[in-house]
Amino acid sequence: MECVVQGIIETQHVEALEILLQGLCGVQRERLRIHEICLKSGPHLGSVTSEVRLLCDLEQAEPSWTVRHVGGAMRGAGAEQISVLVRSMVESKTSKNVLRLFYTLGYKLDHELLRVGFSFNFYRVAQITVTVSSINKMLKLHATDEAVPVTPGIQMVEVTAPAAAETYTEVAAAVSSFCEYLAPLLHLSKPGISTGVVPTAAAAAASLMSDGGGTTL
Amino acid sequence: MPIRCILHWQPNQGTMVNSQILNEISQCVESLNGVKEGRCKASLTFYRPNLRDPSTAIDFPRDFLGISMLEQPNKYYFIIRGHKLVVEADYSILTIMEKLQSYKSKVALHFEGALYKLGDFQVRVIKVVPNQAESLRGIMIEIEYLPISSVEKSKPIMEDFIDLWKEVVSKKSLAGQFIHTEPNYAEYGLSDNYTSQHTAVQYAAALAQLIQSSQLRN
């Protein structure tokens, strides 16, 4: 399972966010270029329709493939009270012909997109990953070189951390407390709950750009 | 990784495999000064589609194979022989398959055996047994040549060893013989450099041969 929160930021403030993240995380950013292919089971397969995502990491010299299954979110009063979404998530790295496997098994292409941006990976109570990326759509099938932004001028920010049934409360708390440091620039919330851009972003970005991200935890 | 070659035991018409033959084959390896060095195990599982309406005509495979190997505990292999497709994945793919519920695992067969060292060669004497049963369904031999990982380059050495092996076994006058059918790896998109995916393809081919020969017997 994983803990996850999402938010959006205007592209003009991404550089300031990167400076802030650099200061907070103390690690170098990693470039991100991921081709994400969402597949759904055909009409006769399985008692209910199932969905699986194939991620192709285009940043690697030899593109690497991962199968990801995102399950349902944790429910109940406990889940309501925490500000991050806790959901089941399983990943498996595979050989490069995995798309052919799923097509052969009766899965169909639902949609595909290209995420381009950067990420920070660091350890704070849990292994936290922050990704900042623009979401692009392909005008032609698999044509990642001709992708265009879905929401020009807006980028998506996602904070995730792997968790287990015994640890998710601590991991969720770690993710929440980390998000507070980003609050002047953007607001992060459970996926599906859009909170838009924050009004303080421009002022916070200007301040960060002027002091060069000297602020540390 | 080093090249491997798998031979399966084909009993003579009207006969069956039995543990006596398995013992005799193990003795053949020992007669070549093979030293027992460990055990080996692989599990093969059939996956069948979980259809909403079983009478529906489908355009995807009726079944495919999943293979796990003791020597690669973090990996899992899928093989669809009809489509000449082999896929290597982290073992967690099994959890994903369970969550998707689009395919159900059905029958499992185990390839279990002993590993013998003979100089630059390693030989595994493998018995094929069904899940939760001791009955012997087949016998295979896996020959590994440690110095070479190129399929092409190892061919003359492997052929020589297989000839020698068949000669040793023939002296026992057992009711059957070893058959070697090497899959066309290029059809699966595999290179000349031997990998565990090559082994998975050979296991699937050997299993198909075993099923075919048992159907012929029946």
Side-chain angles (χ1 to χ4, degrees):
Chain A
M1 57 171 47
E2 66 170 4
C3 292
V4 57
V5 283
Q6 289 174 347
I8 54 170
I9 188 168
E10 288 176 83
T11 303
Q12 57 183 325
H13 302 319
V14 164
E15 196 182 340
L17 175 63
E18 188 185 335
I19 291 170
L20 178 60
L21 286 168
Q22 179 78 61
L24 288 170
C25 310
V27 293
Q28 286 298 313
R29 69 167 210 174
E30 289 167 35
R31 283 154 56 112
L32 184 98
R33 192 174 161 83
I34 290 178
H35 181 194
E36 188 171 317
I37 300 169
C38 180
L39 304 172
K40 282 191 175 165
S41 58
H44 307 296
L45 194 59
S47 45
V48 290
T49 303
S50 56
E51 186 179 300
V52 67
R53 282 164 198 275
L54 309 188
L55 314 177
C56 180
D57 185 349
L58 300 172
E59 263 310 307
Q60 310 295 321
E62 176 81 14
S64 64
W65 288 81
T66 301
V67 181
R68 176 185 287 173
H69 179 268
V70 176
M74 202 171 72
R75 293 174 189 201
E80 295 287 321
Q81 280 164 13
I82 51 177
S83 57
V84 309
L85 187 78
V86 183
R87 65 186 180 191
S88 85
M89 195 281 291
V90 188
E91 281 188 340
S92 169
K93 288 195 182 300
T94 65
S95 49
K96 62 185 177 190
N97 50 359
V98 68
L99 178 61
R100 202 180 136 213
L101 173 77
F102 277 96
Y103 277 158
T104 308
L105 294 183
Y107 278 76
K108 313 279 182 206
L109 177 70
D110 186 65
H111 65 271
E112 61 177 343
L113 48 91
L114 179 73
R115 290 177 193 271
V116 181
F118 57 87
S119 70
F120 285 91
N121 293 289
F122 56 98
Y123 189 84
R124 186 160 298 143
V125 182
Q127 192 65 44
I128 297 176
T129 301
V130 183
T131 59
V132 182
S133 59
S134 70
I135 311 292
N136 301 272
K137 62 182 173 186
M138 268 68 88
L139 302 174
K140 281 186 268 175
L141 186 69
H142 305 333
T144 50
D145 291 338
E146 297 169 38
V148 293
V150 176
T151 50
I154 298 283
Q155 301 218 4
M156 187 164 170
V157 182
E158 196 172 65
V159 182
T160 58
E166 311 80 46
T167 61
Y168 78 86
T169 45
E170 290 128 64
V171 175
V175 169
S176 292
S177 72
F178 179 78
C179 292
E180 283 173 25
Y181 292 108
L182 309 181
L185 273 177
L186 81 158
H187 185 253
L188 292 147
S189 57
K190 293 180 183 180
I193 304 168
S194 175
T195 48
V197 293
V198 295
T200 54
S207 159
L208 277 159
M209 297 301 281
S210 63
D211 90 346
T215 317
T216 50
L217 280 178
Chain B
M1 65 182 277
I3 175 82
R4 290 186 195 184
C5 214
I6 292 167
L7 284 70
H8 71 276
W9 178 256
Q10 188 172 298
N12 291 344
Q13 215 156 8
T15 65
M16 301 275 278
V17 286
N18 58 52
S19 54
Q20 180 58 32
I21 296 174
L22 185 68
N23 288 340
E24 297 271 7
I25 290 165
S26 300
Q27 282 169 23
C28 288
V29 185
E30 280 158 19
S31 73
L32 291 168
N33 295 326
V35 181
K36 214 176 196 175
E37 288 225 323
R39 303 206 62 78
C40 59
K41 186 175 176 181
S43 296
L44 289 83
T45 305
F46 284 100
Y47 287 86
R48 304 243 157 89
N50 184 10
L51 296 173
R52 259 167 247 182
D53 175 6
S55 62
T56 316
I58 53 168
D59 57 356
F60 39 88
R62 285 265 160 216
D63 61 37
F64 68 97
L65 266 182
I67 302 177
S68 66
M69 300 176 201
L70 186 64
E71 65 197 50
Q72 293 276 6
N74 301 321
K75 296 286 177 196
Y76 200 78
Y77 300 86
F78 288 121
I79 302 225
I80 310 178
R81 289 191 76 227
H83 291 76
K84 304 289 181 205
L85 183 61
V86 56
V87 172
E88 183 181 72
D90 286 350
Y91 202 79
S92 52
I93 195 79
L94 281 184
T95 313
I96 294 177
M97 292 306 285
E98 273 169 37
K99 287 184 182 285
L100 292 176
Q101 292 197 357
S102 47
Y103 282 79
K104 287 183 281 197
S105 57
K106 285 284 182 188
V107 195
L109 279 168
H110 301 294
F111 288 3
E112 295 175 357
L115 170 69
Y116 295 86
K117 188 107 198 274
L118 294 84
D120 282 344
F121 287 90
Q122 282 193 151
V123 174
R124 292 169 178 85
V125 178
I126 297 167
K127 59 177 180 176
V128 181
V129 288
N131 205 12
Q132 298 167 330
E134 279 300 302
S135 61
L136 187 65
R137 292 290 170 87
I139 298 170
M140 299 189 321
I141 191 120
E142 191 174 306
I143 302 161
E144 183 174 10
Y145 183 59
L146 299 171
I148 295 182
S149 57
S150 157
V151 175
E152 258 335 288
K153 281 185 193 154
S154 68
K155 262 187 183 150
I157 301 157
M158 272 295 180
E159 279 166 14
D160 283 353
F161 190 92
I162 290 168
D163 287 345
L164 169 79
W165 170 249
K166 284 183 173 173
E167 199 183 311
V168 171
V169 175
S170 69
K171 285 180 184 156
K172 293 266 182 186
S173 304
L174 300 170
Q177 58 175 329
F178 274 108
I179 307 280
H180 174 224
T181 38
E182 189 173 87
N184 185 342
Y185 296 122
E187 283 181 349
Y188 283 86
L190 298 176
S191 74
D192 181 60
N193 192 31
Y194 197 85
T195 64
S196 294
Q197 292 190 59
H198 293 71
T199 305
V201 168
Q202 290 203 76
Y203 281 173
L207 183 65
Q209 295 282 351
L210 286 168
I211 292 169
Q212 199 182 17
S213 62
S214 71
Q215 278 169 348
L216 285 177
R217 279 202 305 276
N218 296 335

